[in-house]
Amino acid sequence: MKKWFSLTAVLLSLLTTSCQEQKELDEGNAIYYWRTDLRLDSTERAFLTQYNINKVYCRYFDVVMDTLHGQGPHPNATVTFNDTLPEGIELIPTVYITEDCMHQPHKDLAEKIVRRIRQMNETNSIQNVHEIQIDCDYTARSMKTYYAFLEAVRENWEANLSTTIRLHQLSMPVPPVDYGVLMIYNTGDPRNFVERNPILDIRDVSPYLKRLDKYALPLAAAYPVYSWLRIINGIHVEHTVEAAEILKVKEAVEQRREGLKRSIITYHLDKENINRYKPETYEAIYHH
């Protein structure tokens, strides 16, 4: 089985290198929705319209290890649907899987996740779902298990499949998916928040840029518009990324791989995040 998977991985790598190296995604604006209650207010609806958002990557649930009962991966923090997206916006179910779930294979995990997504769609009358996304901070230790898991997801889903790509994962073989979302946030060490912004800092991003133009997988780019709250000496301190820093990083990324200006995503849809930046900042982020 291991030999078969290794051969498959090699063939997939060769195929994507030869066929997808110059391929980029169609133009489009998108945003993540990461709250556990799908409910949009007027500000959020206006945002979707103003910036021509055509895709919303909605986190359906997390998959975490059951360390208490030893029963393996199980769903957590499932979203509830109390609203619908505006007509014409594609909803993409997104599932976050903790990396420790991929330290070893788990029988039927892919099938269970796909079945749960289908059930949630049916229960909430969500139709015309053509893609799912899996989000995992996989490492060299978990990569092979994760890629095999993605293959199993594809077998059960039989439609478009995407995954997140963190900057450190650019040095690894490409995963067996249709495209990746390059997560250009959470780039630094949260413990070093005094010297550098752990959400985004050009100095943390720059070392990875040399791998971008050779990464043989179509990519979208995701940028942060959220904040972190920290307690420092008993005081709540909000950490945000300056608009200038986001745009500086965006320019550097697109200089290295021009196709990344075609498909832009922000993280994540929330009234507070919308009001955090001026409209011209969002216009610059979403500008193709």
Side-chain angles (χ1 to χ4, degrees):
M1 184 67 179
K2 289 184 178 179
K3 289 182 178 179
W4 178 88
F5 174 74
S6 297
L7 178 59
T8 302
V10 170
L11 291 174
L12 278 170
S13 179
L14 290 173
L15 180 63
T16 52
T17 300
S18 61
C19 298
Q20 293 185 339
E21 187 164 6
Q22 302 303 321
K23 182 179 178 182
E24 298 294 353
L25 299 174
D26 294 335
E27 288 191 1
N29 295 337
I31 195 165
Y32 279 102
Y33 189 94
W34 220 254
R35 309 200 305 256
T36 54
D37 174 13
L38 182 60
R39 189 192 305 268
L40 305 179
D41 67 11
S42 58
T43 300
E44 293 158 353
R45 287 184 176 275
F47 179 92
L48 296 176
T49 300
Q50 183 175 355
Y51 300 103
N52 301 311
I53 305 298
N54 56 25
K55 293 181 180 179
V56 170
Y57 295 84
C58 178
R59 189 200 63 84
Y60 268 38
F61 53 90
D62 298 338
V63 177
V64 300
M65 287 295 291
D66 180 1
T67 55
L68 184 61
H69 303 100
Q71 295 180 353
H74 71 286
N76 184 54
T78 301
V79 69
T80 56
F81 293 90
N82 294 300
D83 206 345
T84 58
L85 296 178
E87 187 176 351
I89 297 181
E90 180 183 359
L91 185 147
I92 300 175
T94 302
V95 175
Y96 171 72
I97 299 180
T98 58
E99 192 264 345
D100 57 350
C101 290
M102 293 293 128
H103 286 175
Q104 64 185 58
H106 298 279
K107 181 176 174 58
D108 300 328
L109 178 59
E111 180 182 357
K112 291 176 181 176
I113 288 174
V114 172
R115 185 189 310 127
R116 195 167 200 268
I117 291 173
R118 292 189 192 278
Q119 290 172 343
M120 290 175 65
N121 290 341
E122 182 176 351
T123 300
N124 296 282
S125 301
I126 299 171
Q127 301 177 346
N128 300 318
V129 174
H130 306 294
E131 176 187 339
I132 58 177
Q133 182 172 111
I134 307 295
D135 175 17
C136 181
D137 188 5
Y138 59 91
T139 63
R141 172 182 177 181
S142 54
M143 184 191 73
K144 287 186 177 180
T145 299
Y146 182 60
Y147 286 13
F149 162 77
L150 290 175
E151 290 276 17
V153 171
R154 184 186 290 280
E155 289 175 7
N156 285 274
W157 177 242
E158 298 176 349
N160 289 343
L161 174 64
S162 60
T163 189
T164 50
I165 305 292
R166 287 158 177 81
L167 292 172
H168 71 87
Q169 294 163 347
L170 290 171
S171 63
M172 304 179 191
V174 298
V177 294
D178 295 295
Y179 71 93
V181 172
L182 186 65
M183 289 176 50
I184 312 174
Y185 51 90
N186 292 355
T187 57
D189 186 345
R191 297 167 298 183
N192 193 28
F193 64 90
V194 175
E195 296 181 14
R196 295 190 185 185
N197 192 321
I199 299 176
L200 185 67
D201 190 299
I202 187 67
R203 292 170 292 180
D204 293 319
V205 175
S206 294
Y208 298 96
L209 296 184
K210 60 184 178 181
R211 302 185 185 276
L212 258 184
D213 54 350
K214 298 298 184 183
Y215 192 72
L217 187 71
L219 290 173
Y223 297 96
V225 293
Y226 62 93
S227 66
W228 274 353
L229 281 177
R230 286 190 158 276
I231 300 178
I232 303 175
N233 297 326
I235 301 174
H236 285 82
V237 178
E238 183 179 24
H239 286 270
T240 60
V241 183
E242 294 292 333
E245 190 73 7
I246 299 174
L247 298 178
K248 183 195 303 181
V249 170
K250 183 175 186 287
E251 181 181 11
V253 166
E254 292 172 357
Q255 282 182 347
R256 195 71 193 196
R257 182 163 171 158
E258 188 176 4
L260 281 174
K261 67 174 61 172
R262 296 173 58 86
S263 183
I264 302 294
I265 309 169
T266 56
Y267 180 92
H268 59 99
L269 183 60
D270 186 274
K271 182 178 180 179
E272 290 186 5
N273 293 337
I274 292 171
N275 293 331
R276 181 167 290 113
Y277 298 100
K278 297 178 180 179
E280 50 263 39
T281 297
Y282 277 106
E283 289 167 5
I285 291 173
Y286 279 120
H287 178 72
H288 298 296

